[in-house]
Amino acid sequence: MSETQSEPPVWSPLDFQREHLLNNLVLVVSLLFWLRILLYAVIQDAPRAKYGAVFLAGGILVYVIKELHDLDGAKRLERVGLWLCGLVGVAVPSYVWLNYEVLETTRVGYALDHEYLIGGLFALVILYLTYRAFGAAFAAVMILAVLYAHYGNLITGLLGHGGIGVEQIINVLTMEFDGFFGSITQVVAVKVALFLLYAGLMRGYGAFELIMRLSFQTAKYLRSGVAQSAVTSSLIVGSINGAQTANAAMTGSFTIPLMKESGMRSESAGGIEAVASSGGQIMPPVMGAAAFVMASLIPGIGYVDVLVAGIIPALVFYISVAVGVHYMAIKQLPDSGIDIESRIGDIPEGYHPAIEAIRFGVPFAVLLYTLGIAQWTVLTSALYTCVAMIATGAGVPLILSLVRSDVGFAETGWEALTNTVSGFKFGAVSIAPIVIIIAAVNGIVDLLNATGLPGKLSLAMVSVAGGVLLFTVILAMAVCLVLGLGMPTVAAYTIVALLIAPTLTGEFGIDPLAAHFFVLYAAILSGITPPIAIAVVVTTGIAESNFWKTALEALKLGLPLFILPFTFVYNPEIVTDGFSLATAGSGLVVLLGAIAITHGLNCAPRPFGIPSPIGYGARAVYVALGIFAMVWPTLMPRLGAVVVALVLMALQTVVPREATVDTVAQGD
């Protein structure tokens, strides 16, 4: 490489001026975007389908302008292309908005010539922006879906169909209120969007820094506390932000360097953060926004039902991960810790735990009360939560400035305003790519529904599996891992819920809630499953580690999580019986089984006082007992497996240390 090529690009004054203008434009468009969403939440002035069109236009515009802001000034052709995408991305939804009554009631099943033209351009824009935001893999899925819909008449056998014309494909995707403007886009617009604003406001007011600070405090009291900080912070942050990649980037930028500095290998640090970030998406009450979509897809199931059902599996997930992280950390971290205070910085002036608890605890309490107790609508609950977040996030510092002589009211007010605006901007930038991929997923699903593929896929899966439930769910798990493709949680869950869940409920009579939790967990795990493993890609970049070694560490830590979805099928009481004794007992057995698997895979020098490591044969026994305890459909044999595993662990504590070392030499 020449010296000229290795030098960074030279920025002219015009480049800096353009960047400044685009940054301000992102801010203005973000504020207008949220203003429209808040207006709809207050007065609900349009049918949901019509509102979905303007919501999609806003998301596209925010994304395009943010990409223009981040783009190298020398890429003029790409810049022109993005401006054209922004123009088409706003113009076509605006056309749909203005002609809503005609398109929805009169002109159904066909479109005018110019509508086919602008609809085709809009489909190309969605395809390109999806490729830009989420890579070639998912863009290829979109293309394959269109090709399958058009050329289905050339396919023989069960998956063949009569074929759909190009004009009809465009009509389904763009000019009818299915496709890109369909039901899932509408659910995200109405039920999910304001939770991303809530997450943005939390970040603007410093909540995520507070979460990281509190997480790091565990390092003072637990040897593996540095690594546990990744688990704790990802648990809280990931539940709200709706995308495992964003979670991995946000928390990983703090936790991964900290783990590496404390003595952990780069691959282990990246693997821990990837698994923890993926798991944040299944923690109630928000569950990465998938909870609201699940409630809308399952007849007779409300949000509170999903919330209650998700608590015990999420606890199993995180406790088993925390145990695995302890095992991994104890093998690598030195006895002497690192200076945590120097890593997390000085405590901000005026900081007090009680004050921070009020600022961020009150809005969360509002969320829990309005959704879980008062059972208001999701839209209203989210609106009140955002209002409470602004009131406490900006209001508490202002009140403190009035009673403290060392802090100016005007200065505090300006800072509160800046933080609020920053929160609005961050929320818009976070939701924009999710809006785009949700539109793409909605288009794919509705197009495939028009071909009859979900029913055919169900028959094909049952046929390939020979009608055996075990083989069917294994095949379904594999399909979910592939279809997940590292997408945001709500998008990944939507596509597998509509394509795979009907097979489990229709052919085998599995409870709908259990079937949907199965596909949700399976789709999320695609984020740590090679070769795509998008969460691992992000953490590998931060950790500067080898991708495959990092993915192996993530799989070793997350193996119990790949077994957990099968628990929902064979022991559905864990998600269907509410807070019953059967649910608690089954959940405890599942947790102990997961810990047995973790113990077998990640034995460390005397974790929890147990001498180890142990030979491969003994490890296999622990793994087998753990899988049996998690999946076997009757309780007593599962209890027996747990008892055997606990007895074996107890025996390890009395085996002479020399014998353990001999076992290691023979087994390893």
Side-chain angles (χ1 to χ4, degrees):
M1 180 178 293
S2 68
E3 184 179 353
T4 303
Q5 290 175 317
S6 61
E7 293 178 353
V10 178
W11 283 61
S12 67
L14 182 61
D15 291 326
F16 286 108
Q17 184 180 15
R18 178 170 53 230
E19 183 187 23
H20 180 69
L21 289 174
L22 287 171
N23 182 60
N24 290 338
L25 188 56
V26 172
L27 182 60
V28 171
V29 173
S30 297
L31 292 173
L32 292 174
F33 176 72
W34 288 121
L35 180 63
R36 184 65 186 90
I37 292 174
L38 291 169
L39 179 65
Y40 179 83
V42 173
I43 64 176
Q44 299 184 33
D45 58 332
R48 181 178 291 188
K50 186 177 181 181
Y51 168 66
V54 72
F55 173 77
L56 179 54
I60 291 174
L61 188 58
V62 170
Y63 178 79
V64 166
I65 297 175
K66 183 63 170 64
E67 286 293 290
L68 286 166
H69 172 266
D70 296 341
L71 195 63
D72 184 352
K75 299 180 179 179
R76 291 182 176 83
L77 183 61
E78 192 173 352
R79 188 175 297 278
V80 171
L82 281 171
W83 277 117
L84 289 174
C85 286
L87 177 63
V88 175
V90 173
V92 176
S94 299
Y95 179 88
V96 171
W97 166 278
L98 294 173
N99 295 275
Y100 169 76
E101 286 74 16
V102 174
L103 294 174
E104 179 72 356
T105 60
T106 305
R107 202 160 62 242
V108 178
Y110 71 98
L112 304 178
D113 290 342
H114 70 277
E115 292 174 340
Y116 288 126
L117 176 61
I118 64 175
L121 290 174
F122 187 66
L124 290 175
V125 166
I126 294 293
L127 175 64
Y128 173 70
L129 295 181
T130 301
Y131 162 75
R132 191 177 182 90
F134 295 94
F138 190 76
V141 172
M142 285 188 65
I143 294 172
L144 288 174
V146 172
L147 292 176
Y148 173 75
H150 183 57
Y151 293 107
N153 59 317
L154 302 180
I155 300 174
T156 59
L158 180 63
L159 298 181
H161 60 90
I164 302 176
V166 174
E167 290 185 344
Q168 185 59 25
I169 289 174
I170 294 174
N171 193 46
V172 168
L173 291 177
T174 61
M175 289 298 142
E176 294 183 357
F177 289 92
D178 295 317
F180 299 142
F181 306 108
S183 60
I184 305 304
T185 299
Q186 297 163 27
V187 168
V188 172
V190 174
K191 296 185 177 182
V192 175
L194 284 177
F195 285 97
L196 271 296
L197 174 58
Y198 174 42
L201 291 169
M202 286 181 65
R203 176 162 178 171
Y205 294 130
F208 291 165
E209 289 79 4
L210 175 64
I211 291 168
M212 298 299 298
R213 182 181 298 278
L214 295 176
S215 299
F216 290 155
Q217 296 304 315
T218 60
K220 295 181 178 180
Y221 310 105
L222 188 65
R223 185 176 166 190
S224 63
V226 172
Q228 298 294 356
S229 67
V231 179
T232 308
S233 56
S234 295
L235 163 69
I236 302 171
V237 175
S239 175
I240 299 172
N241 67 12
Q244 54 200 164
T245 52
N247 188 12
M250 189 182 304
T251 60
S253 61
F254 290 91
T255 60
I256 291 175
L258 188 66
M259 285 187 278
K260 289 176 62 178
E261 183 179 328
S262 68
M264 295 200 72
R265 296 192 303 268
S266 298
E267 291 80 9
S268 298
I272 288 171
E273 181 58 48
V275 174
S277 297
S278 299
Q281 311 297 289
I282 50 88
M283 177 57 69
V286 180
M287 294 171 61
F292 309 113
V293 179
M294 186 181 295
S296 68
L297 292 179
I298 306 177
I301 294 294
Y303 164 77
V304 175
D305 300 313
V306 177
L307 172 88
V308 172
I311 291 176
I312 289 182
L315 291 176
V316 171
F317 190 114
Y318 260 92
I319 293 174
S320 64
V321 168
V323 171
V325 167
H326 182 81
Y327 274 64
M328 293 175 69
I330 217 74
K331 287 190 290 187
Q332 301 178 36
L333 296 182
D335 291 332
S336 58
I338 63 172
D339 184 6
I340 296 298
E341 293 297 337
S342 66
R343 295 291 292 128
I344 62 179
D346 297 329
I347 296 176
E349 185 178 0
Y351 168 86
H352 191 280
I355 295 174
E356 298 304 306
I358 292 173
R359 289 187 73 199
F360 302 112
V362 169
F364 191 70
V366 169
L367 171 63
L368 293 179
Y369 173 78
T370 54
L371 273 178
I373 299 175
Q375 298 192 23
W376 294 356
T377 65
V378 173
L379 181 63
T380 303
S381 300
L383 174 63
Y384 275 81
T385 301
C386 290
V387 171
M389 187 70 257
I390 295 173
T392 59
V396 169
L398 287 172
I399 294 173
L400 290 176
S401 70
L402 294 174
V403 299
R404 293 178 55 192
S405 58
D406 58 331
V407 179
F409 181 82
E411 179 184 353
T412 303
W414 177 253
E415 182 180 0
L417 177 62
T418 302
N419 291 339
T420 303
V421 172
S422 175
F424 274 85
K425 178 183 175 182
F426 179 78
V429 170
S430 297
I431 199 175
I434 296 177
V435 171
I436 292 168
I437 197 170
I438 281 295
V441 167
N442 214 148
I444 290 172
V445 169
D446 286 337
L447 196 58
L448 294 180
N449 279 334
T451 69
L453 180 64
K456 296 174 182 178
L457 185 62
S458 176
L459 293 174
M461 288 177 59
V462 173
S463 176
V464 170
V468 179
L469 177 59
L470 176 60
F471 296 154
T472 303
V473 292
I474 291 175
L475 182 58
M477 178 83 165
V479 173
C480 289
L481 290 174
V482 172
L483 291 179
L485 289 172
M487 293 184 286
T489 299
V490 66
Y493 163 68
T494 298
I495 196 167
V496 296
L498 294 174
L499 294 180
I500 304 301
T503 301
L504 304 179
T505 57
E507 300 296 332
F508 296 97
I510 295 173
D511 186 281
L513 200 55
H516 279 255
F517 266 90
F518 175 92
V519 298
L520 170 63
Y521 274 58
I524 289 173
L525 289 171
S526 66
I528 59 172
T529 305
I532 298 176
I534 190 66
V536 177
V537 170
V538 173
T539 59
T540 292
I542 299 173
E544 300 178 336
S545 59
N546 177 274
F547 169 79
W548 293 102
K549 291 181 179 179
T550 305
L552 180 61
E553 290 292 293
L555 291 174
K556 187 167 68 172
L557 177 63
L559 181 61
L561 314 179
F562 285 85
I563 308 301
L564 189 55
F566 295 92
T567 300
F568 305 142
V569 173
Y570 288 99
N571 298 282
E573 72 279 354
I574 197 172
V575 291
T576 59
D577 285 358
F579 285 127
S580 68
L581 185 60
T583 303
S586 182
L588 179 61
V589 172
V590 170
L591 173 60
L592 293 174
I595 292 174
I597 296 174
T598 300
H599 179 72
L601 293 176
N602 301 283
C603 290
R606 301 187 67 82
F608 309 117
I610 300 175
S612 55
I614 55 179
Y616 287 130
R619 293 185 183 191
V621 170
Y622 279 118
V623 172
L625 289 171
I627 293 174
F628 186 90
M630 293 180 72
V631 175
W632 193 260
T634 52
L635 182 60
M636 293 311 295
R638 295 166 60 208
L639 280 173
V642 167
V643 170
V644 171
L646 293 175
V647 169
L648 290 176
M649 289 183 187
L651 289 176
Q652 278 186 257
T653 63
V654 298
V655 172
R657 187 68 178 170
E658 294 77 10
T660 304
V661 174
D662 293 340
T663 304
V664 174
Q666 296 173 6
D668 293 344

